[in-house]
Amino acid sequence: QVQLQESGPGLVKPSQTLSLTCTVSGGSITTSYYGWSWIRQPPGKGLEWMGVIVYDGDTYYSPSLKSRTSISWDTSKNQFSLQLSSVTPEDTAVYYCARVRDCSGYGCYGNDALDAWGQGTQVTVSS
């Protein structure tokens, strides 16, 4: 029954910060042992895991994006957010938020064990 919905601007200018919010309904983001992830898919490429915020509030990021990525949450609104700084046209992608089924172990990280997804939102980086 859990549903996830991405929201945020569809167009971001180069060098700016991409900011998206995922609103979760039908379940609490604080429920053990879920994790809450951001994944993206550039055109013509595969899914790229970006990071996760775990049920206890810890965050983990893809090494290739760690320096530019921040995931946070607002538990009072049942939302978690993505900020990706210093964007370039290579950051153009469909961005998804997704739930990790079990973040009590190593399966929390990456694209495995994702059991609920948002529909995705297109973000284009262009001047």
Side-chain angles (χ1 to χ4, degrees), residues 10-16 86-92 123-127:
L11 181 64
V12 183
K13 294 182 177 180
S15 81
Q16 298 302 114
S86 303
V87 299
T88 74
E90 292 185 349
D91 293 311
T92 294
V123 179
T124 299
V125 179
S126 176
S127 60

Side-chain angles (χ1 to χ4, degrees), residues 48-118:
E48 179 183 19
W49 182 80
M50 302 183 71
V52 61
I53 185 163
V54 182
Y55 60 91
D56 62 1
D58 287 347
T59 53
Y60 302 91
Y61 303 104
S62 169
S64 64
L65 296 170
K66 180 177 178 63
S67 65
R68 298 194 293 132
T69 306
S70 178
I71 298 173
S72 58
W73 66 6
D74 185 340
T75 58
S76 68
K77 297 180 179 179
N78 218 42
Q79 296 176 330
F80 65 104
S81 299
L82 169 72
Q83 291 81 44
L84 181 67
S85 65
S86 303
V87 299
T88 74
E90 292 185 349
D91 293 311
T92 294
V94 177
Y95 285 76
Y96 299 91
C97 57
R99 184 177 72 179
V100 185
R101 172 179 52 82
D102 186 0
C103 270
S104 64
Y106 297 120
C108 185
Y109 318 112
N111 292 333
D112 294 337
L114 299 173
D115 68 352
W117 294 70

